[in-house]
Amino acid sequence: MAIDLKRCVEIVESGDWISLCFITADTKRGNGGKLIELKRCRIARNRQPNANKSTSNTIPSASNATARNPQHNYHFTRNLELPNKRLVKVHPLLIFQINNQQVI
């Protein structure tokens, strides 16, 4: 049974561990087309690089004061976290299989 893209994004954003297959694409570098299979991953929520935590007595550095906004909604991307804490950025449009179900 195939599922649609909307349901696929709902499954990814649920936060549960999932398996998926997708195709890479990088238009800026002009490469892609590799088939990537992630056997266990989930959406990365509130993951920030390990920065020095500032206390109330210190002045926050520039890296702590502003966080980079990845604009996932604008670019239609999602960061997925692997069991080893590595992040993988995925375009949901390029996912063709999730939890052993075809995505149409």
Side-chain angles (χ1 to χ4, degrees):
M1 180 175 131
I3 60 173
D4 62 349
L5 183 62
K6 181 179 178 181
R7 179 69 183 130
C8 174
V9 172
E10 289 172 356
I11 292 171
V12 168
E13 291 181 346
S14 70
D16 296 333
W17 289 101
I18 58 172
S19 66
L20 58 85
C21 295
F22 66 98
I23 299 171
T24 62
D26 190 347
T27 57
K28 289 183 181 179
R29 294 184 183 139
N31 61 11
K34 294 180 184 174
L35 181 68
I36 306 292
E37 181 179 0
L38 302 176
K39 298 207 184 275
R40 191 162 188 230
C41 62
R42 66 179 173 187
I43 193 160
R45 299 225 186 254
N46 301 325
R47 283 274 312 260
Q48 302 254 340
N50 293 335
N52 295 334
K53 298 191 180 209
S54 62
T55 61
S56 60
N57 297 343
T58 62
I59 299 171
S61 66
S63 63
N64 290 343
T66 59
R68 183 175 177 265
N69 182 5
Q71 299 179 347
H72 289 297
N73 289 334
Y74 179 75
H75 298 292
F76 197 50
T77 58
R78 301 295 182 264
N79 279 342
L80 298 178
E81 177 183 18
L82 301 179
N84 64 358
K85 304 297 182 195
R86 194 177 121 222
L87 292 179
V88 177
K89 184 172 287 197
V90 174
H91 290 273
L93 291 172
L94 300 176
I95 297 174
F96 66 89
Q97 187 176 25
I98 185 166
N99 292 335
N100 296 323
Q101 295 179 339
Q102 295 296 323
V103 178
I104 54 172

